[in-house]
Amino acid sequence: MVARPQADEDRIAIALNLELSAGRHGASARIELRERAAGRVVHFALRGWLDRVAVLRLGRTLEELGERGIEQLLLDCAQVRHIDYRAVPLLLEALDRFESRAGGAVVCGLSAYLRDLFRLAGCEGRLRCWPSAADLLAAPAGTESGREYAS
């Protein structure tokens, strides 16, 4: 007998790997489209060093996802080692465009170092944060509106 997933469980419908920039300090992402009872969610797990090129490619990818009916974005930064603070406003603009077109966006897994870079760029207050992607994916729908950090 094969067990079927519960209606409230999510399943990964598609997964792909994306190179955002090359080189010694390159950046990449694993993108997982999840079908959940509450809608389509993308778990966008970033890794490496995000420079301007990587953030611009990330922004184009987010625009394409928004055009394809994705309701929620989970931007997982747990494996991000560095973000060029000058590219942080570009990243926030890309998240704002996604939210205006598609739905909600939550940033997960920011280290104290990355939070400092967002603060340095004057953008920390604009983030919706959660401690970890695993916690958020396990949380019931609608509970992600909280903030991980109080400034």
Side-chain angles (χ1 to χ4, degrees):
M1 180 157 102
V2 176
R4 293 182 181 244
Q6 299 289 330
D8 60 347
E9 289 182 14
D10 69 318
R11 65 180 181 84
I12 298 174
I14 189 169
L16 60 103
N17 295 314
L18 176 67
E19 186 174 330
L20 297 170
S21 64
R24 183 172 152 224
H25 294 297
S28 62
R30 173 150 175 97
I31 304 169
E32 296 177 349
L33 172 62
R34 295 171 176 264
E35 299 286 346
R36 299 187 92 181
R40 298 167 82 195
V41 177
V42 167
H43 177 201
F44 206 111
L46 295 168
R47 60 175 66 235
W49 293 50
L50 296 177
D51 59 9
R52 180 179 170 79
V53 170
V55 170
L56 290 173
R57 287 182 180 159
L58 170 62
R60 283 193 300 270
T61 304
L62 293 181
E63 286 179 26
E64 291 173 6
L65 290 171
E67 292 170 357
R68 287 171 174 72
I70 303 302
E71 290 91 3
Q72 295 291 316
L73 170 70
L74 173 58
L75 190 64
D76 186 350
C77 296
Q79 297 296 314
V80 173
R81 299 190 52 150
H82 177 73
I83 300 174
D84 183 341
Y85 79 93
R86 297 167 296 186
V88 169
L90 296 173
L91 176 59
L92 270 287
E93 289 171 15
L95 290 172
D96 288 344
R97 283 192 307 273
F98 177 85
E99 286 186 315
S100 69
R101 169 176 276 149
V106 177
V107 179
C108 297
L110 287 177
S111 65
Y113 171 70
L114 293 177
R115 286 193 318 268
D116 287 344
L117 292 175
F118 276 86
R119 191 175 303 119
L120 178 65
C123 298
E124 184 187 32
R126 294 173 49 195
L127 294 175
R128 283 184 43 204
C129 296
W130 199 261
S132 76
D135 290 346
L136 185 56
L137 289 170
T143 62
E144 67 276 358
S145 60
R147 285 183 50 88
E148 174 185 2
Y149 310 107
S151 5

